[in-house]
Amino acid sequence: MSNLNLPRRSLLKAGLAAGFGLAGVSSVTGQAMTTLPPIPIFDARDGGPVAHARARVPVMSALLKACLGSLPAAMQWGVDGLDAAAHRWLIASGSAYVGEMDAIAALLSEKGVYLLNAAYEWGCTTLAAPAPDGSSARLLRTLDWDFDGLGRHVEVAHQRGAAGDYWNVTWPGAVGALTAMAPGRFAASINKGPSPADGSDNSGIPNLAALRLGMLPSMHLLRHVFETAPDFPEAQALLERTPIAADTIFTLVGIASDETCVIERKPEDHVTHLGVSAAANTWDYGLSAKRWGEEEESQSGSAARRASIMPHAGQSMLPFAWVEPPIRNGITRIAVEANPKLGSLRVRGYEATAGREDAAPATADLEIG
């Protein structure tokens, strides 16, 4: 895997295209931005991510071919090699969702599905705090990733597990969970852990050689939690104790106002901060507890983003009024507000502006609950 010396960001961009579908089903939209396209809702309670992908095959194929066609011919083989390497690693991880990925990959003649589902290179800002009503908890979350189309083509899948239904903010072709809300149980999201201070892990393509063998991808663990955990305490325990393949920051809120936390994870270790908690992409609580050292990339802006989201704890405001610089930036693609006690979920997609220094709404607001 380590001898594939190719531009990592370009290859992931090609692989990611396998997961982007166009709006194909109707959704509920908010009053604002009604001229923008709606975010689709897909009912995946019976067919799961495979049914979601199957409904988007022509669009997935066209977008994947378009991205692959933009790469130099000499790099075409690299996508196949990285996709095969990602497949081998995912099998070794013990993920229960490899069969789903196999079924999705079989829908396409192009490669990239496994690479998509090993992808773990993004920035995020999150806040877990009491909601303005004082009797419930709220999750605020942005996802930052420098690939066009993520915001424009975001969808919400209505999925089901043994513990109940949940809403997954996702894309066709992805089998894990990055941001989701289970009504009456909890909401949670993933932030990427710190990058090396030398910037060597800043190109966007998953560094497969750095992922621990035989341990779950964080996105697959989070989906497992939504499918099996009945409540906040069980979700917290699973997120703290299950071995994972790479450094990850989980943000979790339950149904009570005091059920809020950030869990900073090493593959086999954790530091949990209960109460009002914010996260970006560097260690904060583990560093304060003198458990872990600084591993921050100098250009991450994590401290500023974390400081900017904290004052919104418990505040009443218009939808997404908190999504302002530096929380919103040129690579912001998704913003989410979730309150599991109320069963409410809001999602907005963003894309980069012309100068690529900021992002602007690319979808109407989706409102569930």
Side-chain angles (χ1 to χ4, degrees):
M1 290 182 285
S2 60
N3 63 355
L4 295 174
N5 186 21
L6 297 171
R8 294 167 59 205
R9 182 189 182 280
S10 297
L11 293 179
L12 181 57
K13 191 170 184 179
L16 281 170
F20 302 154
L22 296 175
V25 292
S26 62
S27 64
V28 180
T29 60
Q31 295 181 350
M33 303 185 299
T34 54
T35 60
L36 292 172
I39 295 173
I41 297 174
F42 188 88
D43 188 345
R45 284 175 290 180
D46 293 327
V50 177
H52 192 191
R54 187 176 291 120
R56 304 290 189 262
V57 170
V59 174
M60 288 195 297
S61 179
L63 288 173
L64 183 57
K65 288 177 180 177
C67 285
L68 287 172
S70 68
L71 294 173
M75 293 183 183
Q76 300 298 318
W77 68 271
V79 174
D80 290 6
L82 281 172
D83 199 49
H87 190 195
R88 292 192 297 271
W89 177 79
L90 286 162
I91 292 171
S93 76
S95 170
Y97 310 124
V98 173
E100 292 181 350
M101 288 180 277
D102 290 341
I104 293 169
L107 298 172
L108 298 165
S109 59
E110 303 83 15
K111 304 296 183 181
V113 169
Y114 301 109
L115 191 63
L116 161 69
N117 283 284
Y120 187 65
E121 311 294 316
W122 55 80
C124 307
T125 312
T126 59
L127 175 68
D133 63 14
S135 64
S136 60
R138 181 175 65 181
L139 174 72
L140 303 181
R141 188 275 210 289
T142 58
L143 184 146
D144 299 344
W145 207 352
D146 193 15
F147 297 110
D148 297 334
L150 283 171
R152 184 169 59 253
H153 300 311
V154 66
E155 302 195 9
V156 173
H158 188 183
Q159 295 181 225
R160 173 181 293 154
D165 289 9
Y166 63 101
W167 301 93
N168 188 8
V169 182
T170 187
W171 303 270
V175 305
L178 291 173
T179 311
M181 188 274 295
R185 292 192 286 146
F186 51 84
S189 63
I190 287 176
N191 290 23
K192 180 183 179 295
S195 295
D198 62 5
S200 61
D201 189 29
N202 191 37
S203 52
I205 198 81
N207 184 0
L208 300 174
L211 297 174
R212 297 280 291 274
L213 290 173
M215 296 185 179
L216 284 178
S218 303
M219 305 85 76
H220 296 196
L221 171 59
L222 191 59
R223 175 180 166 187
H224 172 73
V225 168
F226 273 97
E227 291 181 341
T228 63
D231 52 29
F232 175 89
E234 182 63 21
Q236 178 185 339
L238 285 169
L239 293 174
E240 289 174 339
R241 300 171 189 169
T242 307
I244 54 175
D247 294 352
T248 302
I249 303 170
F250 295 103
T251 304
L252 175 68
V253 306
I255 58 174
S257 61
D258 61 349
E259 290 184 326
T260 60
C261 70
V262 161
I263 303 167
E264 296 183 349
R265 280 296 312 271
K266 297 278 191 176
E268 297 184 275
D269 196 6
H270 75 275
V271 171
T272 298
H273 183 270
L274 294 167
V276 176
S277 305
N281 300 102
T282 54
W283 303 134
D284 184 44
Y285 303 114
L287 189 63
S288 300
K290 302 187 185 304
R291 286 278 300 278
W292 301 327
E294 189 73 44
E295 299 176 45
E296 183 174 351
E297 180 181 282
S298 61
Q299 301 299 315
S300 69
S302 287
R305 288 185 283 119
R306 189 188 302 114
S308 295
I309 203 169
M310 279 293 285
H312 297 288
Q315 296 300 306
S316 180
M317 53 192 156
L318 293 173
F320 303 111
W322 54 277
V323 186
E324 55 188 0
I327 299 169
R328 190 189 73 235
N329 55 73
I331 61 173
T332 298
R333 297 294 177 261
I334 299 170
V336 174
E337 302 177 355
N339 184 317
K341 181 177 181 179
L342 302 180
S344 67
L345 176 72
R346 291 194 187 105
V347 185
R348 179 186 290 179
Y350 287 81
E351 293 290 343
T353 57
R356 304 197 70 83
E357 294 182 358
D358 201 354
T363 69
D365 292 356
L366 169 67
E367 297 193 22
I368 295 172

